[in-house]
Amino acid sequence: MDIARAPDSGTGETSDAPAPPDPVVPPAAPSLGRKVRSAARWSLINTVVLRLGNFATGIVLARFALGPAEWGVYGIAQTVLLVLLSANELGVGLAIVRWEGDARRFAPTVLTLSTLSSGLLYVALFAAAPTVAGLLGSPDAANVLRVMCLCVVIDGVAQVPGGFLTREFAQGRRMVIDGLNFVVSTAVTLLLAFEGRGAMSFAWGAVAGNVVTLIGCALAAPGTLRFGWDTEQARALLRFGLPLAGASLLALAVVNVDTMVVGATLGSVSLGFYVLAFNISGWPVRIISEAARRVSFAGFSRLAASPPALAQGFSRALGVVITGTVPLCVLLAGLAEPVVRLIYGSEWTPAAAALPWLMALGLIRIGSELAYDCLVAVGQRRSLFLVQGLWLVALIPVLLLAAHLNGIVGVSQGHVLVAGGLVVPVFLTALHRGGIGLGRIARACAWPFLGGAVMAVIILGLQRLFGDGRLALLAIGTVALAGYTVCVLPSLDFLRGVDRRDTR
């Protein structure tokens, strides 16, 4: 669970409220570039290690401790938690990362706002938990919700210290903190799961891990957990944060409304299969996208004053994440059933039917999340709110109809239809208005997409020849990756920043 942001000295009694800044003039490119590259490396290592650990833990739990029904209850609780976390601090925590000047001056007010809003949100959730669980088709999830959503309060307190780590590109320290979170949360979850506590094991594991993260962030950013209040600062922070919180809430609703639809219409067992498939589809999203997003917002914010530098930075970032993600998505989509059967067991093979479509959705999500960070950095908060609102309004009726027509596969197909046919064009238009031309975006994606198409042909052809045994999967994957590598070689100079042609 990502907990971010932090305060410092001062009681918040100063009267000079920090107004939303003029865009930051980018510093000397070598200095910022070194910081971003170093942070990106640490973030990628951190994300890969943690996701591999979570992957292994999920296999153990699915094979030996929990069935589809328990995964369905967990999916409901996790969905509600993520939606609450998207807006629990009212968006004000991002000011620690984005605003110019001494962030410690207004950080006490950020901490107070974030803690108060998170506490009130949890109280409301605690009272509404039985109703929410019932509406989502999983009445047994009420107590799990009440425990797991304690993370909302912990996250609210941790917003400020975590934000300072992000602002300073301190991803090395963040890796240590996240590693401790993983060790503690995994140990608690496994212990409780094998004691027969079911989905509640996830809840207490998440709480334990988030407590560790809070303590770690506070120690890594000393002096930041100081409460304070300044009315003018609070007003400026809310003007800055509320549109972002609304857009973030809509974004999380877009990603998680499918879980609600499946739970309410198809039941907890189908939801368990869907949650497993969605989690698998999220592997490349989490490994690549999370690593990038921990530095992308801060990096784009530093470049916001220079449209050419921002366009170049965004196109390179998009090229890197797409190049790294496409082979993972194609492999998991093309080998969905044998991979699920091999890793999780035959009990879970119904999840494989939805996986190819969810992999396509995962690829779209990676691009849209990077575009989201870029548009926030350049101040297009209203556009983001409208995009996310349009996405959600279009998605709900499509998913409801698709669930009745074709179960979890239909839900996955509905997701891709709305995202690819409606949302991607809208994001492209918003980026174009922000100074990032379609030519740059096409150049960033062209070689990876060609490589993905070649991989798909190789996988389909070799599967017919060799079948889906373990050795066959290894051989098919190796040949497909080799074909992909050959296809993306021409883009290496662009990804490294060596090619400086000005494509618009």
Side-chain angles (χ1 to χ4, degrees), residues 430-488:
L431 288 170
H432 183 72
R433 290 177 178 173
I436 301 172
L438 296 180
R440 287 189 178 274
I441 296 172
R443 186 179 177 195
C445 298
W447 293 111
F449 285 178
L450 173 63
V454 170
M455 281 187 72
V457 171
I458 292 173
I459 290 171
L460 292 174
L462 293 184
Q463 241 188 322
R464 294 177 181 176
L465 291 175
F466 301 136
D468 56 11
R470 295 184 182 183
L471 291 178
L473 291 179
L474 179 61
I476 293 170
T478 301
V479 175
L481 288 173
Y484 179 80
T485 302
V486 171
C487 290
V488 299

Side-chain angles (χ1 to χ4, degrees), residues 222-304:
T224 57
L225 285 181
R226 296 180 182 177
F227 291 90
W229 184 259
D230 183 285
T231 301
E232 291 301 316
Q233 288 180 353
R235 288 173 181 166
L237 287 165
L238 289 172
R239 284 196 300 269
F240 171 82
L242 285 175
L244 296 180
S248 182
L249 180 62
L250 287 172
L252 262 293
V254 165
V255 174
N256 292 283
V257 69
D258 52 357
T259 301
M260 302 178 186
V261 168
V262 173
T265 60
L266 303 177
S268 60
V269 173
S270 292
L271 178 58
F273 291 128
Y274 184 82
V275 167
L276 185 77
F278 197 90
N279 286 344
I280 295 172
S281 73
W283 292 346
V285 177
R286 295 185 185 110
I287 291 174
I288 306 296
S289 184
E290 284 187 13
R293 296 192 78 190
R294 288 192 175 184
V295 297
S296 62
F297 178 68
F300 293 151
S301 296
R302 303 300 193 277
L303 299 174

Side-chain angles (χ1 to χ4, degrees), residues 308 311-312 440 443 499-504:
Q312 183 183 42
R440 287 189 178 274
R443 186 179 177 195
D499 188 349
R500 294 179 173 83
R501 287 178 300 169
D502 188 22
T503 302
R504 298 187 182 276

Side-chain angles (χ1 to χ4, degrees), residues 21-27 97-101 298 300-306 377:
D22 293 329
V24 183
V25 176
V97 181
R98 176 67 179 90
W99 283 8
E100 289 186 78
F300 293 151
S301 296
R302 303 300 193 277
L303 299 174
S306 173

Side-chain angles (χ1 to χ4, degrees), residues 210-466:
N210 276 268
V211 169
V212 170
T213 296
L214 170 59
I215 295 171
C217 287
L219 293 175
T224 57
L225 285 181
R226 296 180 182 177
F227 291 90
W229 184 259
D230 183 285
T231 301
E232 291 301 316
Q233 288 180 353
R235 288 173 181 166
L237 287 165
L238 289 172
R239 284 196 300 269
F240 171 82
L242 285 175
L244 296 180
S248 182
L249 180 62
L250 287 172
L252 262 293
V254 165
V255 174
N256 292 283
V257 69
D258 52 357
T259 301
M260 302 178 186
V261 168
V262 173
T265 60
L266 303 177
S268 60
V269 173
S270 292
L271 178 58
F273 291 128
Y274 184 82
V275 167
L276 185 77
F278 197 90
N279 286 344
I280 295 172
S281 73
W283 292 346
V285 177
R286 295 185 185 110
I287 291 174
I288 306 296
S289 184
E290 284 187 13
R293 296 192 78 190
R294 288 192 175 184
V295 297
S296 62
F297 178 68
F300 293 151
S301 296
R302 303 300 193 277
L303 299 174
S306 173
L310 179 66
Q312 183 183 42
F314 176 80
S315 62
R316 282 189 59 203
L318 180 63
V320 169
V321 297
I322 294 295
T323 301
T325 306
V326 164
L328 298 175
C329 290
V330 175
L331 281 175
L332 289 172
L335 302 172
E337 185 172 342
V339 166
V340 171
R341 186 171 61 249
L342 175 65
I343 295 175
Y344 292 99
S346 57
E347 177 187 11
W348 293 94
T349 51
L355 189 54
W357 297 97
L358 290 175
M359 297 313 308
L361 175 65
L363 191 60
I364 295 172
R365 283 175 56 199
I366 286 174
S368 64
E369 286 173 0
L370 197 68
Y372 179 97
D373 288 344
C374 182
L375 294 172
V376 170
V378 299
Q380 293 196 29
R381 297 189 292 276
R382 182 175 298 179
S383 296
L384 286 172
F385 191 83
L386 293 175
V387 170
Q388 301 294 349
L390 176 65
W391 196 345
L392 184 62
V393 168
L395 193 60
I396 291 174
V398 171
L399 294 188
L400 286 170
L401 177 62
H404 286 292
L405 293 177
N406 201 20
I408 64 173
V409 176
V411 171
S412 307
Q413 293 168 333
H415 246 315
V416 175
L417 176 65
V418 174
L422 176 64
V423 178
V424 169
V426 174
F427 263 120
L428 291 175
T429 301
L431 288 170
H432 183 72
R433 290 177 178 173
I436 301 172
L438 296 180
R440 287 189 178 274
I441 296 172
R443 186 179 177 195
C445 298
W447 293 111
F449 285 178
L450 173 63
V454 170
M455 281 187 72
V457 171
I458 292 173
I459 290 171
L460 292 174
L462 293 184
Q463 241 188 322
R464 294 177 181 176
L465 291 175
F466 301 136

